Amino acid sequence: MNPKLQRTNPLVVLAFAATGLAVGLLVQFARSAAGQSPLAPPYSLPATMVVLGAVLLTLAVLLRRRVSRTTAGPVNPFQAVRVLAAARASQFVGGLIGGFGGGLLLSLAGRSVPTSVSIWLPMLATLIAAVALLVCGVIAERLCRVPPQDHDEASDSDRGTDPADQPA
């Protein structure tokens, strides 16, 4: 948990979403060309993403509370790194699966015959749950940031404990 930690670049998440969109479109076009029905993801996919987002937010909030309280004891750095890694991974996965769900839905927009609700509703649920997972990842990443502590830096500079000033 470095205070100078760089946030996840939104362009990378956008690239994942664009890749997912392209794959979703290609899958639907390939199924259409083969004469198969459109791919409708199972409802367990969006349900799993919502649960993952909730668990991630819970872990991030607990970590943030532990960091902000001085009486709670030391923070396990390995747990903090795991929560941060999960936050970043959820942003990538949310972008990828959200793009995939968007690609599935976009392919249905060009059809001359409207599809039934049982086909497009799972696609829409997947898209919404993926966006929710992405947002949970962004929030969790922000919660994993260390609050600035000016008194530590000021006390080090007052004592002259800069390693560059020490003799070899």
Side-chain angles (χ1 to χ4, degrees):
M1 294 185 5
N2 184 358
K4 297 185 189 242
L5 179 72
Q6 294 181 0
R7 293 185 183 146
T8 303
N9 191 349
L11 293 177
V12 174
V13 177
L14 190 63
F16 274 98
T19 303
L21 182 88
V23 169
L25 283 171
L26 287 175
V27 165
Q28 291 294 51
F29 290 151
R31 290 181 64 92
S32 178
Q36 298 174 344
S37 64
L39 176 68
Y43 284 111
S44 61
L45 178 63
T48 302
M49 287 189 292
V50 168
V51 169
L52 284 175
V55 168
L56 179 64
L57 275 182
T58 302
L59 290 174
V61 166
L62 291 174
L63 179 67
R64 183 61 172 191
R65 285 182 185 167
R66 187 137 185 144
V67 167
S68 61
R69 291 184 188 159
T70 56
T71 60
V75 176
N76 184 353
F78 295 111
Q79 179 189 7
V81 169
R82 288 182 194 120
V83 171
L84 181 63
R88 288 192 171 183
S90 69
Q91 291 177 46
F92 299 149
V93 169
L96 187 67
I97 296 178
F100 183 74
L104 296 177
L105 275 173
L106 189 62
S107 69
L108 296 180
R111 292 182 175 229
S112 59
V113 177
T115 57
S116 67
V117 175
S118 64
I119 298 293
W120 62 263
L121 190 61
M123 296 174 194
L124 183 64
T126 300
L127 175 64
I128 292 170
V131 170
L133 181 64
L134 192 146
V135 169
C136 288
V138 170
I139 293 170
E141 185 179 15
R142 286 181 184 250
L143 289 174
C144 286
R145 299 184 68 76
V146 175
Q149 297 176 348
D150 295 332
H151 59 84
D152 289 342
E153 294 171 5
S155 62
D156 287 345
S157 63
D158 291 342
R159 289 183 288 196
T161 58
D162 188 10
D165 294 338
Q166 300 293 327

